[in-house]
Amino acid sequence: MLKPILLTEDNPRDLELTLIALERSQLANEVVIARDGVEALDYLLRREQYADRPEGNPAVMLLDLKLPRVDGLDVLATVRATPELRSIPVVMLTSSREEPDLLRAYSLGVNAYVVKPVEFKDFVGAISDLGVFWAVLNEPPPGSMRLQRARLAPHEPREDA
């Protein structure tokens, strides 16, 4: 079962462009959209409207920096401070080139910081590359797949046991 991609973006234009880019990359992963930091944390922590969502973390979180209610850096800080969420790859996807934002994101443990390209073709290419890398090529931390398989089929022998 493929893990979803959590896309946290409040700008309707950037959201639409990111969804187009992910679709063009032909990833089969479901894309879950959060339009602000609170909604992203609700999804990750399985609360409010997401209280009944299946267990498990997204394959990757694409996180905008400037978000309403709770900004991207505060979301990142919460993710890294929460043991169950700590291993989620987080890619800051932002228009900010400000050095303090970049430094703070890396000090909080972001996996990648990508400035959104202005040109549509470049934007699509960047998002496609990100999606393929984090959802397909990247190896999750040891143990995360074992735990997921054990929850799905605890009575079956595991390949990696």
Side-chain angles (χ1 to χ4, degrees):
M1 186 160 106
L2 290 175
K3 293 180 171 189
I5 294 170
L6 178 57
L7 170 59
T8 306
E9 175 62 68
D10 66 313
N11 180 308
R13 180 180 174 274
D14 287 350
L15 177 62
E16 183 179 352
L17 290 176
T18 304
L19 290 172
I20 289 168
L22 289 170
E23 185 177 309
R24 287 189 181 179
S25 68
Q26 299 182 336
L27 292 173
N29 304 66
E30 171 192 9
V31 178
V32 175
I33 299 166
R35 288 181 172 79
D36 62 50
V38 171
E39 190 177 347
L41 290 171
D42 285 349
Y43 176 83
L44 292 169
L45 297 168
R46 298 178 67 224
R47 61 188 188 198
E48 300 297 331
Q49 74 217 43
Y50 299 105
D52 294 332
R53 80 163 176 86
E55 285 187 37
N57 290 328
V60 63
M61 179 180 192
L62 303 178
L63 180 62
D64 190 17
L65 183 68
K66 310 288 187 200
L67 293 168
R69 300 202 294 167
V70 174
D71 79 7
L73 291 171
D74 290 335
V75 171
L76 176 61
T78 300
V79 167
R80 292 302 183 239
T82 306
E84 305 82 42
L85 306 177
R86 195 172 290 143
S87 66
I88 298 171
V90 178
V91 176
M92 195 64 70
L93 188 58
T94 181
S95 54
S96 174
R97 293 180 181 275
E98 296 176 29
E99 190 173 320
D101 290 337
L102 183 70
L103 292 172
R104 180 134 189 263
Y106 275 109
S107 74
L108 290 170
V110 77
N111 295 88
Y113 190 101
V114 177
V115 177
K116 297 172 188 174
V118 176
E119 295 297 320
F120 176 73
K121 184 179 125 197
D122 296 336
F123 186 87
V124 169
I127 299 300
S128 178
D129 290 347
L130 283 172
V132 169
F133 178 78
W134 290 107
V136 179
L137 299 175
N138 184 53
E139 286 291 326
S144 62
M145 289 307 293
R146 273 195 302 270
L147 291 173
Q148 185 177 5
R149 274 189 246 137
R151 280 192 208 109
L152 294 174
H155 59 281
E156 295 177 16
R158 298 187 316 253
E159 299 168 22
D160 55 351

